[in-house]
Amino acid sequence: MPSLPLKTVAPLGQGLFWQDMPEGAVFQTYTRTVTEADLINFVTLTGMTDSGFLDVTKVGAMGARPVPGALTYAFVEGFVVQSMIRGTGIAMLSCALETIAPVRVGDTICARIVIDGVRPTSRAGRAIVDSTITVLNQESAPVMRYTSRRMIAGRPEAVEA
């Protein structure tokens, strides 16, 4: 079998191009359960070593074993990159975030992504994509919501023809 030039081989795990994200489209990520190890590794790595996160006997205003909102956000952005924009995301241009409810060790989260707008740029092959991302827990209750504006690559010309 003759070998093909790498340019003609579609990469596995390739993200969506902006043309695959029409305004109004809704996507849902896979789920992930937040573990004790996730919490300890994250707060140690970031320096967020507050006793509210580390003391298992402490039950504060957010209940027992809350995780930082930054950890929830980081997991969801990982979902977005891995399942939606791997290789096609060019830049995160802006983000506005609201925490609605605490996420705790043992909670399972996923995200629902709604495409709010798509605007091709003056430079060919890319567009600005606005979306609202709602993070849900295992009870389908929203725990975080944020809007993002990203620059996303378009399909290569050879594929569009």
Side-chain angles (χ1 to χ4, degrees):
M1 182 169 145
S3 64
L4 297 172
L6 284 179
K7 283 197 232 176
T8 64
V9 178
L12 293 175
Q14 175 73 49
L16 301 175
F17 297 107
W18 69 262
Q19 294 93 333
D20 304 318
M21 301 178 191
E23 187 171 336
V26 179
F27 301 94
Q28 185 156 323
T29 68
Y30 46 87
T31 61
R32 185 186 199 295
T33 300
V34 180
T35 67
E36 179 74 16
D38 295 330
L39 171 62
I40 299 304
N41 289 330
F42 186 81
V43 299
T44 302
L45 176 69
T46 61
M48 294 184 187
T49 54
D50 184 83
S51 64
F53 300 131
L54 294 174
D55 184 346
V56 297
T57 65
K58 188 169 185 172
V59 178
M62 293 186 291
R65 307 307 290 143
V67 302
L71 173 58
T72 302
Y73 172 76
F75 276 150
V76 172
E77 278 299 294
F79 295 165
V80 171
V81 168
Q82 292 171 32
S83 62
M84 192 169 180
I85 61 170
R86 181 186 301 262
T88 60
I90 298 170
M92 168 73 93
L93 302 173
S94 67
C95 174
L97 185 140
E98 168 191 21
T99 300
I100 300 166
V103 172
R104 297 181 183 87
V105 169
D107 283 355
T108 300
I109 59 171
C110 70
R112 187 164 298 135
I113 303 154
V114 177
I115 305 301
D116 298 321
V118 179
R119 183 176 47 87
T121 65
S122 59
R123 185 170 175 186
R126 55 182 66 179
I128 305 303
V129 177
D130 292 320
S131 62
T132 300
I133 295 109
T134 303
V135 183
L136 306 168
N137 66 13
Q138 65 276 2
E139 296 164 357
S140 297
V143 295
M144 179 179 284
R145 183 173 296 113
Y146 62 100
T147 58
S148 72
R149 175 167 285 168
R150 302 173 200 266
M151 184 178 295
I152 306 291
R155 284 191 202 98
E157 289 182 23
V159 177
E160 291 181 17

